[in-house]
Amino acid sequence: MQLIYATRPIVLGASVFSLSFHLVGGPDVIFDWISTFDLSRWELLAMLLAVVIVLGFVFDWIEVLLVFIPVLMPIFSELDFADHVGSAYFAQIWIAGLIALALQTSFLTPPFGYALFFAKMAAPKGINLSDIYRGAVPLVAIEIVLIAALISFPQLITWLPEVTLGPADTPQLIER
């Protein structure tokens, strides 16, 4: 129960920040700035996922999801991958899956590597944190390859939502 009450100020503060950022046109400024790089949408997607990974290096997942993702989400949406995924609705699900995996990847990387500290606590005596960092390198490489595979084959993310919600552009909810 205490966790719920402790996160309310964080959620409220992040919501106020996101709303005020959107009201002053912050996403437009960032998108205009990023547009000056003259990147393709695929390069921009890779750059934004790299930014999410780097943010996950130093920030907890709550801060990334509540503060930074609302700032970056309009840029993700502007890329419009509906033609690659099959629909605009499932493109949003695909982007969410990519962001979730990028965050998971960042939890296995220094300097903080939250998951690595949990592994250290569960490791037998004699295992150093540096051993765990070295052991995480192949896993991070596999997750980066997995992100590339999910970008290439979006059906790996969207298959189950399409089966359950239907292949329409918006989900078909069952009415009772």
Side-chain angles (χ1 to χ4, degrees):
M1 256 341 244
Q2 287 180 333
L3 180 62
I4 293 171
Y5 293 119
T7 58
R8 284 184 182 171
I10 295 170
V11 171
L12 180 64
S15 299
V16 169
F17 169 76
S18 296
L19 178 63
S20 60
F21 185 77
H22 285 273
L23 288 176
V24 298
D28 297 330
V29 172
I30 290 176
F31 193 74
D32 290 343
W33 176 68
I34 288 176
S35 297
T36 62
F37 296 136
D38 196 32
L39 300 172
S40 73
R41 68 181 181 164
W42 296 104
E43 294 167 333
L44 195 54
L45 176 66
M47 185 186 81
L48 289 173
L49 289 174
V51 165
V52 169
I53 290 173
V54 170
L55 287 171
F57 287 174
V58 293
F59 293 107
D60 191 33
W61 67 272
I62 293 174
E63 290 116 14
V64 174
L65 286 180
L66 294 179
V67 177
F68 295 106
I69 295 301
V71 171
L72 296 176
M73 205 59 204
I75 300 165
F76 278 113
S77 298
E78 193 72 28
L79 296 178
D80 189 24
F81 284 102
D83 60 334
H84 177 64
V85 177
S87 75
Y89 179 76
F90 290 117
Q92 291 176 349
I93 293 173
W94 177 66
I95 291 288
L98 292 174
I99 291 170
L101 189 57
L103 272 175
Q104 173 59 40
T105 303
S106 70
F107 298 151
L108 296 171
T109 55
F112 295 111
Y114 296 107
L116 301 177
F117 287 109
F118 294 134
K120 171 63 175 134
M121 288 188 291
K125 292 187 188 277
I127 302 293
N128 297 330
L129 192 57
S130 61
D131 296 331
I132 293 173
Y133 278 169
R134 280 193 302 277
V137 170
L139 185 57
V140 170
I142 289 169
E143 288 193 6
I144 290 172
V145 169
L146 180 59
I147 290 172
L150 292 173
I151 289 172
S152 299
F153 304 104
Q155 303 84 4
L156 294 172
I157 294 176
T158 62
W159 173 78
L160 185 59
E162 280 187 72
V163 168
T164 57
L165 298 174
D169 191 33
T170 57
Q172 303 297 315
L173 300 177
I174 298 172
E175 294 185 28
R176 294 180 191 228

